[in-house]
């Protein structure tokens, strides 16, 4: 959810660490990594905020989570809390350029340049061994994951693509998605509550939002909508508002994203394990895009989730975590 103003970007590695949603119990380190030092890449360097949790050693299953459009790494909290607590797992999350506690550099963004940010972050934390990375990307994050796999194919063992597309075929965005982004970027939806309601209605199926929560906890007996909106509001108040420049930069990157069928075939030939997951009721990226990805990535596995929307890491968090673990622990 964007607003017109935001606190200044972090300026040095000695700055006080910002508020975070993640538990410190399994924290290894967090802070900022300076990327784009090469002037061929950008007129000036910028910083990415990151957190590393879990059992960080070369023999661990190393998970790299890449978030989607206009959303910070905080949206991975269901995955971080689960995997960081598992023996032999290490988890890296970060804010993409233009959102959260990362900088918002000037200029236009592209998924290929944003993927280079991720490559440099991986170099910084020392995750450089061959076939050591399990990359999970959702929506725009899945687009970055495709570009990252083409940048560093020898490092990636597992590529898990969620609610995303290649852009290899021209398609118009669904009306509900276009309407949400237009209303948010225009400033016509002003209050946090109204923004959260709009986003919730777009990311999740209405029937699921109306379900009653049966699990033990503070939301037992309330609706899924109550649970989701409370989670959004919590993250909203802990994090930092995205600026219009960051919102536009990321949007342009998504609109320009193109990975040709030839490049996808090259990607499939270099990454041992590729899996795709998508919901039938995705209002942002139609489920047909998943079938196209599966076709263009020979050897990939496809899972279609009935009655599921765009935000699978939240809507089906337990099944989603199990899906990740299944593919990460595959032999071969």
């Amino acid at each position: 959810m964007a607003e017109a103003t935001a606190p200044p970007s972090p300026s040095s590695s000695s700055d006080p660490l910002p508020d975070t949603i993640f538990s410190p119990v399994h924290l290894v380190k967090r802070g900022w990594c300076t990327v784009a030092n090469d002037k061929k890449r950008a007129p000036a360097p910028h910083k990415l905020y990151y957190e590393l949790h879990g059992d960080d050693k070369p023999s661990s299953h190393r998970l790299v989570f890449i978030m989607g459009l206009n959303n910070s790494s905080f949206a991975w909290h269901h995955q971080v809390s689960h995997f960081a607590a598992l023996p032999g797992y290490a988890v890296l999350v970060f804010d993409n350029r233009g959102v959260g506690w990362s900088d918002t550099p000037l200029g236009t963004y592209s998924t290929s340049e944003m993927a280079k940010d991720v490559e440099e972050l991986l170099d910084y934390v020392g995750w450089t061994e061959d076939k050591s990375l399990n990359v999970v990307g959702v929506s725009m994050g899945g687009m970055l994951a495709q570009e990252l796999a083409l940048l560093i194919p020898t490092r990636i063992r597992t590529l898990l693509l969620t609610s995303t597309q290649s852009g290899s075929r021209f398609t118009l965005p669904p009306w509900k998605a276009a309407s949400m982004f237009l209303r948010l970027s225009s400033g016509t939806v002003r209050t946090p509550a109204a923004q959260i309601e709009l986003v919730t209605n777009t990311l999740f199926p209405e029937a699921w939002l109306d379900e009653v929560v049966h699990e033990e906890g503070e939301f037992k007996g309330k609706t899924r909508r109550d649970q989701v909106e409370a989670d959004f509001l919590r993250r909203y108040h802990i994090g930092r508002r995205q600026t219009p420049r960051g919102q536009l930069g990321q949007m342009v990157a998504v609109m320009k994203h193109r990975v040709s069928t030839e490049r996808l075939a090259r990607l499939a030939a270099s990454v041992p394990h590729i899996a795709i997951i998508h919901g039938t009721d995705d209002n942002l990226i139609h489920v047909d895009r998943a079938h196209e990805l599966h076709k263009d990535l020979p050897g990939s596995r496809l899972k279609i989730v009935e009655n599921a929307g765009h935000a699978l890491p939240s809507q089906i968090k337990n099944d989603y975590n199990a899906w990740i673990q299944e593919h990460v622990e595959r032999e071969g």
Side-chain angles (χ1 to χ4, degrees):
M1 278 74 68
E3 288 185 354
T5 61
S9 294
S11 59
S12 75
S13 59
S14 62
D15 285 345
L17 289 171
D19 292 336
T20 181
I21 200 172
F22 301 116
S23 168
V25 172
H26 300 287
L27 175 67
V28 177
K29 57 183 175 180
R30 69 186 184 108
W32 289 279
C33 166
T34 301
V35 298
N37 288 292
D38 186 347
K39 290 192 178 296
K40 294 179 181 177
R41 276 198 61 202
H46 59 273
K47 296 179 177 63
L48 297 185
Y49 176 76
Y50 75 94
E51 297 199 24
L52 203 166
H53 293 257
D55 186 14
D56 183 32
K57 55 188 179 185
S59 60
S60 293
H61 298 297
R62 287 175 163 169
L63 282 164
V64 183
F65 286 101
I66 311 178
M67 187 36 66
L69 180 68
N70 304 144
N71 215 343
S72 78
S73 59
F74 288 0
W76 290 119
H77 67 91
H78 295 299
Q79 285 64 53
V80 173
S81 62
H82 175 78
F83 286 104
L86 293 181
Y89 273 82
V91 178
L92 179 67
V93 291
F94 59 94
D95 293 338
N96 288 308
R97 63 164 78 176
V99 76
W101 296 114
S102 289
D103 285 345
T104 300
L106 295 171
T108 58
Y109 300 175
S110 68
T111 53
S112 58
E113 281 297 319
M114 294 173 76
K116 290 177 185 176
D117 291 349
V118 184
E119 179 188 11
E120 294 182 20
L121 173 61
L122 292 168
D123 292 344
Y124 179 81
V125 299
W127 285 16
T128 58
E129 292 88 352
D130 282 356
K131 303 304 177 191
S132 63
L133 303 179
N134 303 282
V135 178
V136 185
V138 60
S139 194
M140 182 188 74
M143 301 175 195
L144 270 63
Q146 295 164 48
E147 292 286 3
L148 181 68
L150 288 162
L151 275 176
I152 54 169
T154 61
R155 291 199 222 177
I156 297 178
R157 182 181 183 274
T158 309
L159 182 66
L160 301 176
L161 303 173
T162 308
S163 308
T164 194
Q165 63 185 358
S166 68
S168 62
R169 299 165 179 83
F170 176 76
T171 58
L172 292 172
W175 167 247
K176 200 163 186 177
S179 175
M180 180 189 73
F181 289 121
L182 180 62
R183 293 177 65 190
L184 289 174
S185 61
S186 67
T188 56
V189 185
R190 296 185 180 278
T191 67
Q195 293 174 4
I196 287 169
E197 181 181 11
L198 174 60
V199 171
T200 298
N201 288 337
T202 308
L203 295 184
F204 300 92
E206 183 178 356
W208 182 81
L209 290 171
D210 290 340
E211 289 180 5
V212 174
V213 177
H214 297 291
E215 298 93 337
E216 294 297 327
E218 64 175 305
F219 291 99
K220 184 176 182 180
K222 298 182 180 180
T223 66
R224 295 287 181 196
R225 177 183 296 279
D226 295 329
Q227 189 177 38
V228 166
E229 291 185 352
D231 180 53
F232 270 126
L233 193 62
R234 176 176 170 234
R235 288 189 271 135
Y236 182 91
H237 287 303
I238 293 175
R240 183 172 64 170
R241 307 292 79 74
Q242 188 181 32
T243 65
R245 188 171 73 204
Q247 189 178 45
L248 179 61
Q250 291 196 352
M251 178 68 75
V252 169
V254 168
M255 293 174 65
K256 294 192 303 181
H257 177 70
R258 299 286 185 276
V259 179
S260 67
T261 54
E262 291 78 15
R263 295 176 73 213
L264 289 170
R266 178 154 37 98
L267 189 163
S270 61
V271 176
H273 304 296
I274 302 174
I276 301 155
I277 189 168
H278 212 111
T280 57
D281 298 348
D282 190 328
N283 290 317
L284 269 69
I285 298 177
H286 196 274
V287 67
D288 286 351
R289 307 290 83 75
H291 290 284
E292 291 165 0
L293 259 181
H294 178 50
K295 177 183 177 182
D296 293 338
L297 291 168
S300 64
R301 296 186 179 186
L302 175 64
K303 182 178 180 67
I304 300 298
V305 185
E306 295 294 328
N307 306 314
H310 189 70
L312 298 182
S314 297
Q315 185 183 343
I316 59 163
K317 56 183 181 293
N318 294 332
D319 289 342
Y320 184 70
N321 291 345
W323 176 79
I324 292 172
Q325 192 166 346
E326 171 196 347
H327 288 287
V328 167
E329 296 182 4
R330 280 174 64 188
E331 294 183 0

